[in-house]
Amino acid sequence: MTVPVIVDCDPGHDDVFALWLAAGRPELDLLAVTTVGGNVSLEHTSRNARIALSVAGVTGVPVAAGAPGPLARELSTAEWIHGENGLGGPELPDPDAGPSPVRLDPRTATELIADTLAAASEPVAIIATGPITNVAVLLRERPDLAPRIREVVWMGGSTDRGNATPYAEFNAWVDPEALDLVLRSGVRFTMVGLNVTHRALVTASVRERLAAIGNRTARFGDELLEFFCRTNDEVFGMPDGPLHDPVAVAVLADPDSVTVARTRLDVELVGSETVGATSVDLDGMLGREANAFVAVGIDVDRFWAGVEAAVAGLA
Ligand code: RIB
Ligand code: CA
């Protein structure tokens, strides 16, 4: 059974591989892509999402720009990992040109998501791989569409430490209010946090396997990974860069590759040192009703095999 999906992203090196996995897996039907300010500005993330699809030869999937920044805070970006343009490394092609042009849809992200949900023959899953602002805006402005959302799978948060602050992961830290709104909406929600994505490491063996695919997508991807591994080494001492975002896609593309637990998930909004921290009550200490699924394990070999197969099927 093919799962209809929308990917909401902030490309970002790992977001590109999430888009390729969503586009390249037969288990998923990529209906639309929306972008958000996050790793870099909305202008860059929107251009980069179009570049990702164009390089891979994925045409016919609308791309619309969404929120430039969080619901209630100033945008904090991550050029230190992704570079000034968000896709440091390769020379970036013009997404409006070339054999597979991908133009920016004139609708807002909310309009494109709403139109996509309304036109779908069944509820659609939203895979969010950046600050979850666009999903929050949709649920705030169009609560009537909530039943048309199959579920939200989000790369963000962590069951333990953070990467933006000691206790907050970047996507949660940028817009914690958006995460809180989505959690309170009651939509089925799965969090794929650093506790799992830090095992999706781009080792030398992974890079060799992906590069050996040899198509245009793999060549572009290898230049991305060279930069991404270098900056993750410089910033975090992780030369095998953790490719966070495609793990969220794998939850739907290959559910047996990622283990999830039903638990209580809350996000810190006011802590002096802990804003954006995700409180994952795996042991039920708080006695609160479970409200989310949280990723707790990954079959790393199976995950990379899925990424490899997807890239091999693209241009
Ligand atoms: O913390 C990692 C997450 O923040 C990833 O989605 C990465 O692309 C950045 O958005
Ligand atoms: Ca991202």
Side-chain angles (χ1 to χ4, degrees):
M1 178 189 76
T2 302
V3 178
V5 302
I6 295 168
V7 172
D8 180 70
C9 54
D10 65 335
H13 293 66
D14 51 332
D15 301 76
V16 169
F17 282 83
L19 287 168
W20 290 348
L21 190 59
R25 289 300 299 246
E27 299 87 351
L28 304 180
D29 181 10
L30 179 60
L31 300 178
V33 173
T34 52
T35 58
V36 64
N39 282 318
V40 286
S41 70
L42 179 66
E43 179 185 4
H44 280 305
T45 61
S46 301
R47 183 175 176 83
N48 293 342
R50 294 162 57 214
I51 289 170
L53 297 183
S54 178
V55 164
V58 178
T59 56
V61 177
V63 179
L71 293 183
R73 298 172 187 269
E74 290 300 313
L75 175 63
S76 297
T77 52
E79 286 85 357
W80 25 283
I81 289 293
H82 298 282
E84 288 303 314
N85 64 12
L87 291 183
E91 182 178 342
L92 300 184
D94 177 355
D96 286 319
S100 306
V102 177
R103 292 180 173 74
L104 188 65
D105 192 292
R107 289 170 285 184
T108 67
T110 300
E111 290 166 342
L112 176 55
I113 296 172
D115 289 348
T116 304
L117 295 178
S121 59
E122 62 182 294
V124 177
I126 299 176
I127 302 171
T129 62
I132 202 163
T133 316
N134 286 339
V135 179
V137 168
L138 175 87
L139 289 167
R140 183 176 65 187
E141 294 183 0
R142 294 296 306 273
D144 59 300
L145 290 175
R148 303 294 300 154
I149 299 173
R150 183 182 194 266
E151 61 186 296
V152 174
V153 181
W154 173 66
M155 190 281 137
S158 173
T159 62
D160 42 45
R161 293 181 67 82
N163 62 355
T165 69
Y167 290 99
E169 177 278 330
F170 178 81
N171 289 338
W173 177 69
V174 168
D175 199 346
E177 284 75 17
L179 177 57
D180 185 60
L181 189 155
V182 174
L183 287 172
R184 294 179 186 279
S185 74
V187 69
R188 178 188 167 103
F189 189 85
T190 299
M191 179 188 107
V192 181
L194 298 177
N195 53 293
V196 166
T197 66
H198 274 169
R199 295 178 54 200
L201 296 175
V202 180
T203 63
S205 166
V206 165
R207 276 199 59 191
E208 286 162 16
R209 281 170 53 188
L210 292 175
I213 295 167
N215 61 9
R216 182 175 70 200
T217 304
R219 291 194 300 274
F220 188 82
D222 190 57
E223 290 186 78
L224 289 177
L225 293 180
E226 194 283 327
F227 184 96
F228 183 73
C229 290
R230 187 169 73 247
T231 56
N232 271 275
D233 189 17
E234 291 165 357
V235 174
F236 297 114
M238 298 178 76
D240 297 343
L243 209 64
H244 308 282
D245 292 336
V247 182
V249 179
V251 168
L252 294 177
D254 185 11
D256 291 338
S257 65
V258 181
T259 305
V260 297
R262 182 75 175 159
T263 186
R264 177 69 194 195
L265 170 61
D266 294 285
V267 59
E268 179 68 275
L269 301 178
V270 294
S272 60
E273 302 298 327
T274 56
V275 166
T278 43
S279 168
V280 184
D281 189 11
L282 289 170
D283 299 319
M285 299 180 205
L286 302 175
R288 294 177 188 163
E289 183 182 0
N291 64 343
F293 295 89
V294 172
V296 293
I298 182 174
D299 180 333
V300 175
D301 292 339
R302 186 166 176 155
F303 166 73
W304 285 121
V307 173
E308 189 178 356
V311 171
L314 298 170

